[in-house]
């Protein structure tokens, strides 16, 4: 429907109808206005499957929803580093929504994994904003290609569940832009999600729902977002202020109470009716976009989507360790051990919880293979070793050639609404792994969890597979990897630290009361571990394959570019092993010298390539200013400092295989204002300025050369020391050090310096 037509409809609506349109009619629907032909529009969770509730609605996954297909959660899909795959998954979700009459699916969820403890990490993608935003973008693209909307969430800085409805994320401007906003930015700009969901928390004191700066200035004015912003369920606390800030739709509903406040605010002149009209126009635009593009022929083919869920899962499973045990031979005597072989943990708790139409466990997947035995090993209802189950598992392991333990985090450890208390797996599972490994040298652990765990047994087992929360088809996918039907190709989208205390947010995570200071700043995840040169359990970007890849021929189309230009980087990747496989080629950029504090390197692009044995492909990347920039708080914009940068190609963040140095020239000069506090060192950076100032120091910083005190000082202080101290001497310094000038003289110099042309 055209913008004019929508305006016409809005013009016919009463004030009350318009106010009502700005909140849900019920838990999942927008309001209908029959007399004007406005239909109710349904939204549903999200993000990795359809949680459509036909009966009574709730936002925590408590009541029944329709049978649907649970795809791997964000933690896993990010590990695929495969945009095409996420696009396909998005297409399937979009089609399911069309078939079920859902206009917007509530996802993707892109919040940065600041700490391994966040209860919703399983839904989120990465500790790296580029990965989060690229994977989200691909999913959005797929869903919206079916004329169904997405709701990228939770905007903004919602990185913990503790006190999520009242906590205040205190984050400095640069960190917000480089890390937390950046997770949304690329996806919003490139893929134009139909809607955005604002989070519950505050950002630097202001609730996300009433944050004009982010909902309007950033999202709409700078990023060009043109859909509607909806609140997270219950995130509205001041309806009129929220509306003014840019929060269009309140969900679920205040049962009319807030509608009255809106009407009152317009009537009293506190808020202009135009603000309300704009919000209604935005909502109707999406309502009709969906309505007018309904695909009545869409069918929710659950079995077909289950197969896709399996394909997706195959690419989300990360091979972390393999000391010659994998892939398994299907002829070997194998003991499958652990409850999750029979009942996989494949999704997390809360609003994303899918009512799966079927579940394939690893045991289901190997049905009919008489060489595989099973022992439960543990029960995850409580963290207590069941001696009988443990003994049976050890016995089974002893008799077999290989033991595969299906372990991980129980449901109660990972859910929306609360955070994890620690980074350990249940003790009973750790004990099981250690006892089995003690009797069976060929022990492999398959992990089902949505966020890093500590692995005290890492050196006692020969193989480790991170299956993440792999969706309802995970069992089949894990077995395909175990038996080598599929070559593992996923990489960790997050660092696994050795222990929780190593995590950069450790000292300030969950905060004090409602105040959460993001004290680690931009040093989130590998940005921190690299800078501190710390050992980690498994680094960001890491993951093994059953084949090997060689990298060669790193080329750039220019060795020097202006920051307004782009640079093409290419590299050859060859499959040097015997099995076809996929490799995630990672491109990092490092600023070799910088006046601001920067990470050692940052991921700036990635690509996944499929290669037959012996095959070579050239992978090409295009880098622009952003790949070299940091966010400057001086100009409130991205800025590149002229100089050399290393372009690094890596198999992981800790395995850089090729490097090329290039130069980037800035076309932007940062404004510089001289004051009496400007140091001599900073003045020297402009030779013209130094010409003006250097006379101030002709007697050295300790005053006149004839002065005897200064002679004594010069014995104690070498020329180098004097020069070093001068470097940080403010322009006003000589006034107090006997330079025989006054503050007025210095001020006159400062004025002269500020008068220099750029
Ligand atoms: C969650 C959202 C979800 C909404 C609706 C909220 O509790 O934070 O992610 O989309 O409920 O279920």
């Amino acid at each position: 429907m055209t913008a004019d037509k929508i305006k016409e409809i809005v013009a016919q609506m009463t004030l009350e109808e318009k106010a009502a349109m700005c909140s849900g009619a019920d838990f999942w629907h927008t309001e209908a206005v029959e007399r004007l032909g406005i239909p109710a529009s349904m939204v549903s969770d999200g993000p990795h499957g359809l949680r459509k509730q036909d009966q009574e609605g709730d936002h925590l996954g408590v009541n029944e929803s329709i049978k649907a297909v649970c795809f791997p959660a964000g933690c896993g899909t990010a590990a695929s580093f495969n945009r095409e795959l996420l696009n396909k998954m998005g297409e399937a979700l979009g089609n399911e929504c069309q078939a079920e009459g859902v206009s917007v699916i509530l996802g993707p969820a892109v919040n940065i994994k600041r700490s391994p403890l966040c209860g919703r990490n399983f839904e989120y993608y990465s500790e790296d904003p580029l990965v989060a935003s690229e994977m989200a973008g691909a999913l959005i693209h797929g869903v919206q290609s079916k004329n169904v909307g997405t709701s990228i969430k939770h905007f903004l800085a919602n990185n913990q569940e503790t006190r999520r409805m009242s906590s205040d994320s205190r984050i400095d401007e640069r960190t917000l832009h480089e890390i937390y906003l950046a997770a949304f930015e690329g996806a919003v700009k490139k893929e134009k999600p139909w809607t955005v969901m604002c989070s519950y928390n505050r950002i630097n004191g202001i609730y996300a729902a009433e944050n004009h700066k982010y909902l309007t200035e950033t999202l709409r004015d700078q990023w060009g977002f043109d859909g509607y912003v909806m609140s997270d369920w219950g995130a509205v606390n001041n309806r009129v202020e929220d509306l003014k800030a840019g929060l269009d739709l309140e969900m679920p509903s205040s049962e009319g109470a807030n509608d009255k406040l809106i009407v009152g605010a317009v009537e009293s002149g506190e808020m202009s009716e135009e603000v309300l009209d704009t919000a209604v126009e935005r909502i109707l635009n999406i309502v009709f976009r969906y309505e007018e593009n309904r695909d009545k022929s869409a069918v929710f083919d659950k079995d077909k989507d289950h197969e896709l869920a399996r394909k997706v899962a195959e690419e989300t499973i990360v091979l972390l360790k393999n000391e010659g045990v994998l892939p398994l031979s299907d002829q070997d005597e194998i003991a499958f051990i652990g409850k999750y072989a029979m009942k996989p943990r494949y999704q997390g708790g809360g609003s994303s919880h899918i009512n799966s139409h079927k579940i394939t466990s690893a045991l289901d997947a190997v049905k009919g293979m008489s060489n595989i035995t099973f022992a439960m090993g543990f029960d995850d209802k409580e963290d207590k070793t069941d001696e009988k189950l443990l003994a049976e598992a050890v016995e089974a392991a002893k008799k077999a050639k290989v033991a595969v333990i299906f372990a991980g985090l129980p449901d109660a450890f990972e859910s929306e609404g609360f955070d994890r208390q620690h980074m350990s797996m249940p003790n009973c599972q750790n004990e099981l792994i250690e006892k089995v490994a003690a009797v069976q040298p060929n022990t492999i652990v398959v992990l089902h969890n949505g966020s890093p765990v500590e692995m005290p047994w890492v050196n006692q087992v020969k193989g480790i597979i991170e299956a993440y929360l792999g969706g309802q088809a995970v069992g089949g996918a894990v077995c395909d990897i175990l038996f080598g039907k599929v070559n593992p190709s996923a990489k960790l989208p997050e660092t696994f630290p050795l222990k929780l205390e190593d995590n950069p947010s450790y000292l300030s995570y969950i905060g004090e009361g409602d105040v959460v200071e993001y004290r680690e700043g931009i040093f989130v995840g590998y940005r921190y571990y690299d800078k501190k040169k710390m050992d980690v359990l498994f680094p960001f970007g890491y993951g093994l394959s059953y084949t090997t890849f060689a990298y060669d021929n790193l080329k750039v189309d220019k060795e020097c570019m202006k920051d307004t230009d782009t640079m093409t980087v290419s590299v050859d990747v060859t499959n040097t092993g015997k099995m076809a496989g996929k490799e995630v080629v990672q491109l990092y950029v490092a600023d070799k010298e910088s006046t601001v504090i920067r990470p050692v390197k940052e991921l700036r692009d990635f690509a996944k390539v499929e290669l037959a044995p012996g095959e070579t492909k050239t992978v090409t990347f295009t880098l622009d200013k952003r790949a070299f920039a940091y966010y400057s708080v001086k100009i409130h914009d991205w800025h590149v400092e002229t100089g050399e940068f290393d372009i690094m190609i890596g198999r992981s963040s800790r395995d850089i295989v090729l490097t090329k140095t290039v130069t980037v020239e800035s076309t932007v000069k940062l404004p510089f204002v001289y004051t009496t506090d400007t140091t001599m060192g900073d003045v020297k950076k402009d030779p013209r300025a130094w010409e003006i100032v250097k006379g101030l120091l002709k007697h050295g910083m300790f005053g006149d050369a004839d002065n005897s005190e200064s002679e004594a000082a010069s014995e104690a202080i070498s020329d180098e020391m004097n020069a070093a101290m001068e470097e940080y001497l403010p322009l006003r310094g000589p006034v107090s050090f006997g330079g025989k000038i006054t503050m007025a003289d210095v001020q006159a110099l400062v004025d002269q310096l500020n008068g220099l042309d750029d």
Side-chain angles (χ1 to χ4, degrees):
M1 190 173 286
T2 62
D4 286 345
K5 186 84 192 82
I6 285 175
K7 274 189 197 303
E8 265 174 42
I9 296 178
V10 176
Q12 293 171 57
M13 292 171 81
T14 64
L15 183 56
E16 286 71 17
E17 281 169 342
K18 289 190 283 192
M21 188 53 73
C22 291
S23 69
D26 60 25
F27 227 81
W28 302 116
H29 293 88
T30 58
E31 283 284 351
V33 183
E34 271 174 40
R35 69 180 186 91
L36 296 172
I38 301 173
S41 199
M42 183 170 205
V43 302
S44 278
D45 285 307
H48 46 260
L50 193 56
R51 187 174 72 95
K52 182 187 170 197
Q53 288 184 317
D54 278 337
Q55 305 302 320
E56 207 173 323
D58 73 87
H59 66 126
L60 290 172
V62 180
N63 295 324
E64 274 277 280
S65 51
I66 60 160
K67 287 278 180 206
V69 174
C70 181
F71 287 88
C75 53
T77 52
S80 76
F81 280 80
N82 188 338
R83 297 175 180 93
E84 257 172 63
L85 190 72
L86 271 267
N87 183 53
K88 274 203 194 110
M89 177 174 147
E91 284 170 1
L93 290 171
N95 180 65
E96 291 177 5
C97 288
Q98 279 288 2
E100 288 294 331
V102 171
S103 69
V104 173
I105 184 161
L106 304 176
V110 300
N111 299 89
I112 290 289
K113 296 190 183 190
R114 180 178 173 230
S115 162
L117 297 184
C118 174
R120 280 184 104 165
N121 272 356
F122 70 89
E123 275 184 79
Y124 298 151
Y125 288 123
S126 181
E127 67 187 22
D128 180 84
L130 180 84
V131 177
S133 146
E134 286 294 300
M135 301 321 281
L139 189 90
I140 292 170
H141 192 92
V143 173
Q144 295 192 172
S145 72
K146 299 290 175 187
N147 292 310
V148 168
T150 52
S151 194
I152 190 169
K153 65 188 186 183
H154 310 86
F155 191 69
L156 172 71
N158 176 191
N159 308 96
Q160 66 184 49
E161 289 300 283
T162 306
R163 293 173 176 264
R164 69 169 169 166
M165 298 186 84
S166 55
S167 68
D168 181 12
S169 303
R170 303 255 175 106
I171 313 179
D172 68 89
E173 183 186 350
R174 180 175 166 204
T175 301
L176 259 168
H177 283 269
E178 291 192 16
I179 307 289
Y180 297 96
L181 283 163
F184 291 85
E185 184 179 357
V188 170
K189 281 180 170 167
K190 275 193 264 173
E191 300 300 341
K192 296 203 168 292
W194 290 12
T195 82
V196 168
M197 186 191 293
C198 82
S199 57
Y200 290 118
N201 55 287
R202 283 178 276 201
I203 306 113
N204 294 326
I206 303 174
Y207 275 110
E210 59 201 53
N211 211 311
H212 188 269
K213 187 166 178 183
Y214 299 114
L215 294 190
T216 295
E217 292 161 45
T218 305
L219 206 50
R220 295 185 187 281
D221 302 348
Q222 288 166 18
W223 296 354
F225 172 68
D226 60 4
Y228 69 76
V229 176
M230 73 174 91
S231 71
D232 199 344
W233 269 232
V236 163
N237 34 85
N238 185 337
R239 187 60 187 108
V240 173
E241 284 314 307
D242 293 5
L243 200 56
K244 287 192 209 158
L247 187 275
D248 307 300
L249 177 66
E250 170 182 9
M251 287 305 284
S253 138
S254 62
E255 305 288 338
N258 280 339
D259 305 352
K260 288 203 186 90
L261 294 180
I262 295 174
V263 171
V266 172
E267 281 173 350
S268 70
E270 183 201 336
M271 185 182 74
S272 113
E273 193 162 355
E274 252 184 279
V275 173
L276 177 60
D277 288 356
T278 307
V280 176
E281 280 165 27
R282 289 173 183 153
I283 296 167
L284 291 186
N285 187 29
I286 298 300
V287 167
F288 284 111
R289 194 185 294 175
Y290 174 70
E291 236 11 81
E292 289 175 350
N293 292 288
R294 285 301 308 271
D295 177 1
K296 295 273 163 35
S297 67
V299 177
F300 186 173
D301 183 340
K302 300 186 184 67
D303 288 328
K304 184 165 156 246
D305 290 355
H306 179 87
E307 280 318 304
L308 178 62
R310 176 174 178 154
K311 282 257 150 274
V312 176
E314 284 167 356
E315 286 208 37
T316 65
I317 296 169
V318 192
L319 178 59
L320 294 177
K321 182 170 182 182
N322 184 15
E323 286 179 353
V325 274
L326 288 163
L328 300 174
S329 152
D330 54 13
Q331 301 304 312
D332 286 339
E333 293 299 317
I334 302 166
F336 273 14
I337 294 171
K339 182 173 179 181
Y340 300 146
M342 182 182 72
K343 205 172 174 299
R345 174 125 194 289
Y346 65 92
Q347 65 173 331
S351 61
S352 66
H353 201 87
I354 302 300
N355 184 2
S356 299
H357 93 294
K358 72 174 170 198
I359 302 158
T360 312
S361 69
L363 277 184
D364 294 334
V366 296
K367 211 173 260 164
M369 288 175 72
S370 55
N371 52 324
I372 296 183
T373 57
F374 171 65
M376 262 272 274
F378 65 89
D379 193 359
D380 64 351
K381 288 206 185 72
E382 55 175 344
D383 185 3
K384 200 163 149 246
T385 298
D386 181 322
E387 296 299 341
K388 186 167 167 283
L389 293 183
L390 177 63
E392 284 166 6
V394 170
E395 243 353 84
K398 262 193 216 159
K399 286 192 196 135
K401 192 174 167 218
V402 182
V404 185
I405 306 176
F406 293 77
L409 296 177
D411 277 322
F413 277 45
E414 284 179 301
S415 169
E416 177 176 340
F418 55 90
D419 291 316
R420 284 162 76 195
Q421 302 295 310
H422 53 74
M423 216 180 100
S424 316
M425 280 168 48
N427 293 324
C428 65
Q429 293 191 39
N430 283 335
E431 185 185 351
L432 171 74
I433 295 169
E434 278 164 12
K435 297 238 157 99
V436 166
V439 299
Q440 174 50 264
N442 296 319
T443 295
I444 296 159
V445 177
V446 176
L447 291 169
H448 295 77
N449 48 297
S451 193
V453 290
E454 287 164 2
M455 301 182 199
W457 34 259
V458 66
N459 295 320
Q460 294 158 44
V461 300
K462 283 208 179 139
I464 305 174
I465 285 175
E466 177 53 77
Y468 276 119
L469 297 186
Q472 66 180 49
V474 66
V478 165
C479 290
D480 284 349
I481 300 268
L482 283 173
F483 292 102
K485 285 191 197 135
V486 169
N487 195 347
S489 64
K491 305 267 187 174
L492 292 179
E494 62 196 326
T495 310
F496 275 47
L498 286 164
K499 54 185 191 306
L500 178 65
E501 292 80 357
D502 290 350
N503 177 263
S505 74
Y506 179 71
L507 293 176
S508 59
Y509 193 67
I510 78 164
E512 291 168 348
D514 280 337
V515 176
V516 190
E517 305 261 6
Y518 284 45
R519 294 196 182 134
E520 69 284 4
I522 56 170
F523 292 100
V524 178
Y526 69 90
R527 287 167 168 78
Y528 174 81
Y529 301 113
D530 279 3
K531 192 84 173 177
K532 298 259 306 198
K533 297 195 169 86
M534 285 168 76
D535 284 339
V536 296
L537 186 56
F538 296 108
F540 173 84
Y542 172 84
L544 302 171
S545 163
Y546 294 150
T547 188
T548 47
F549 299 98
Y551 288 75
D552 201 9
N553 250 334
L554 173 59
K555 285 191 201 144
V556 288
D557 69 336
K558 48 180 92 65
E559 296 202 338
C560 181
M561 78 166 209
K562 286 210 163 57
D563 64 1
T564 42
D565 208 350
T566 58
M567 179 180 286
T568 307
V569 180
S570 63
V571 64
D572 293 346
V573 189
T574 305
N575 183 342
T576 48
K578 293 198 177 68
M579 190 174 177
K582 294 182 184 174
E583 171 71 326
V584 178
V585 184
Q586 301 165 42
L587 188 154
Y588 296 85
V589 174
D591 192 349
K592 294 192 78 169
E593 209 186 301
S594 171
T595 58
V596 295
I597 299 165
R598 296 193 70 172
V600 175
K601 61 179 181 301
E602 292 172 277
L603 185 76
R604 294 311 197 192
D605 209 347
F606 58 87
K608 195 160 191 180
V609 268
E610 185 165 14
L611 295 163
E615 191 184 4
T616 300
K617 277 185 187 159
T618 303
V619 178
T620 306
F621 302 102
T622 305
L623 302 182
D624 60 12
K625 173 176 177 174
R626 252 324 249 281
F628 304 95
Y630 69 93
Y631 185 86
S632 165
V633 293
K634 280 194 186 147
I635 52 172
H636 309 291
D637 199 357
W638 296 90
H639 181 68
V640 178
E641 218 169 62
T642 296
E644 287 186 339
F645 293 81
D646 276 342
I647 293 178
M648 304 165 152
I649 299 292
R651 293 191 171 95
S652 81
S653 61
R654 290 276 169 103
D655 187 3
I656 301 299
V657 282
L658 295 169
T659 300
K660 187 142 211 112
T661 305
V662 299
T663 302
V664 183
E665 277 174 24
S666 176
T667 54
V668 177
K669 197 168 175 290
L670 292 186
F672 189 79
V673 178
Y674 291 94
T675 68
T676 54
D677 288 333
T678 303
T679 64
M680 299 299 171
D682 286 341
V683 175
K684 281 179 189 165
K685 287 178 189 153
D686 183 342
R688 298 169 310 159
W690 184 237
E691 250 334 283
I692 295 169
V693 166
K694 71 179 183 199
L696 264 189
L697 290 178
K698 68 174 184 291
H699 303 299
M701 73 174 276
F702 291 94
D704 196 309
D706 299 337
N707 180 318
S708 59
E709 253 177 63
S710 124
E711 271 166 33
S714 68
E715 275 171 28
I717 298 177
S718 69
D719 286 351
E720 289 77 26
M721 287 161 82
N722 202 34
M725 283 194 229
E726 271 176 20
E727 189 78 5
Y728 304 119
L729 183 73
L731 283 170
R732 64 176 155 68
V735 176
S736 10
F737 288 120
K740 293 191 178 156
I741 58 162
T742 64
M743 258 326 244
D745 298 331
V746 177
Q747 190 55 56
L749 279 180
V750 165
D751 293 344
Q752 201 184 339
L753 293 174
N754 282 328
L756 288 171
D757 293 339
D758 271 345

